[in-house]
Amino acid sequence: MHPLLPSLAAAGLYAGATAYQGLRLAQRAVPDLRLLTALSVLALLAHSLSLYFQLIIPAGLNLDFFNAASLITAAIILLTLLACRTIPVANLLLLFLPLGCLTVLLAQFGPAGTVRPIDEEPGILAHILLSITAYGILTIAVFQALLLLLQDHQLKNKRPSGLIKNFPPLQTMESLLFGFLWAGWALLSLSLLSGWLFFEDLFAQHLLHKTLLACVAWVVFAVLLWGRYQLGWRGHKAIRLTLAGFCLLMLAYFGSKLVREFILHI
């Protein structure tokens, strides 16, 4: 099967789910979680089918720039849907579903980067899986931080919007943020450890910037978590450090891929 059909189906379903949730929130009403989840799951299934045909090629795993972005976005949406079953994070879908629509279309229609297929050795695949899951959870954390910032700003100005009125209390939002940060940091630690174990030289020329930036991001998140539980850091300081760590991490992965695939062509 050609990935075009599932890609278009996924994009349409993501757009429909986004429109439904956005309209309900604009009307200051709570979206039907079962309907929203059903639309999102259908979109994610079509997205996954598209990814299967785009990623799996005879030479190995085709993890070029846009395929990688699409895969990480699918992981983010999956993790958010799983989290929705037990914690109040459904509002994050309003941010992630359009991202899913965009990345699935870019993976289908965007220019192909110059990248060597990845040999599917178990250790390398384990490292990739850990990295994607860590990036996914930390992406959820950074959007949670942005929503927390928006909620705090609107509550201070006493002008909460329809979206904000559907949020949990500020303290719950902050607890959720640090829960995501703990989980993401732990997975990032395992990802870096697996890289040391399964790559011959993590400081080879084509991996040097990625490795150094990822290590600096790990330190930023570690300092943030230490400051939270030892010094009581919260609010804007916690949000700034979350954004700083996330930017370093995204620069480590997507920045290096962008330069290698579209500028240096290696």
Side-chain angles (χ1 to χ4, degrees):
M1 179 188 289
H2 194 276
L4 177 62
L5 184 59
S7 295
L8 293 176
L13 287 164
Y14 280 137
T18 302
Y20 167 70
Q21 188 178 19
L23 284 172
R24 293 295 293 167
L25 291 173
Q27 296 167 353
R28 298 179 181 268
V30 179
D32 185 330
L33 187 57
R34 288 177 297 180
L35 176 58
L36 180 62
T37 301
L39 289 171
S40 302
V41 168
L42 288 173
L44 186 59
L45 288 173
H47 191 165
S48 301
L49 185 61
S50 172
L51 278 169
Y52 175 81
F53 291 111
Q54 289 166 333
L55 292 174
I56 308 300
I57 60 175
L61 198 64
N62 179 26
L63 205 61
D64 67 12
F65 183 86
F66 290 118
N67 281 347
S70 181
L71 179 59
I72 291 174
T73 304
I76 291 167
I77 293 169
L78 174 62
L79 291 168
T80 307
L81 288 170
L82 292 173
C84 283
R85 301 179 62 184
T86 54
I87 55 179
V89 291
N91 286 313
L92 287 170
L93 289 172
L94 188 61
L95 304 173
F96 296 143
L97 295 177
L99 191 60
C101 180
L102 176 64
T103 56
V104 76
L105 290 175
L106 285 173
Q108 179 62 47
F109 298 109
T114 304
V115 62
R116 299 177 198 169
I118 298 170
D119 187 14
E120 298 179 37
E121 296 179 5
I124 302 299
L125 290 179
H127 170 72
I128 292 171
L129 180 61
L130 284 168
S131 299
I132 288 171
T133 309
Y135 292 161
I137 291 180
L138 289 170
T139 301
I140 295 173
V142 81
F143 278 95
Q144 178 76 7
L146 291 173
L147 289 179
L148 181 62
L149 184 64
L150 178 64
Q151 183 182 25
D152 180 63
H153 174 74
Q154 292 201 359
L155 289 175
K156 283 181 178 177
N157 287 277
K158 298 181 180 180
R159 289 186 297 180
S161 64
L163 175 65
I164 298 299
K165 286 186 175 180
N166 285 290
F167 280 11
L170 202 63
Q171 188 174 359
T172 302
M173 290 283 286
E174 194 171 72
S175 297
L176 289 173
L177 168 62
F178 280 95
F180 288 132
L181 286 171
W182 268 114
W185 180 77
L187 285 166
L188 181 60
S189 302
L190 292 174
S191 169
L192 290 172
L193 178 61
S194 66
W196 282 100
L197 292 174
F198 298 118
F199 282 91
E200 292 183 5
D201 185 6
L202 265 183
F203 290 96
Q205 184 177 2
H206 67 289
L207 292 175
L208 179 61
H209 293 87
K210 178 181 176 181
T211 303
L212 288 176
L213 287 169
C215 288
V216 174
W218 183 91
V219 171
V220 170
F221 286 122
V223 169
L224 170 58
L225 292 169
W226 175 84
R228 163 70 171 180
Y229 291 98
Q230 294 297 319
L231 303 175
W233 288 355
R234 54 185 301 174
H236 286 203
K237 179 177 286 188
I239 292 169
R240 283 196 298 268
L241 285 173
T242 300
L243 293 174
F246 177 78
C247 289
L248 286 167
L249 200 58
M250 291 299 103
L251 188 60
Y253 187 69
F254 286 110
S256 62
K257 284 187 75 66
L258 182 65
V259 171
R260 289 179 59 206
E261 292 180 28
F262 294 103
I263 298 176
L264 300 179
H265 301 287
I266 57 175

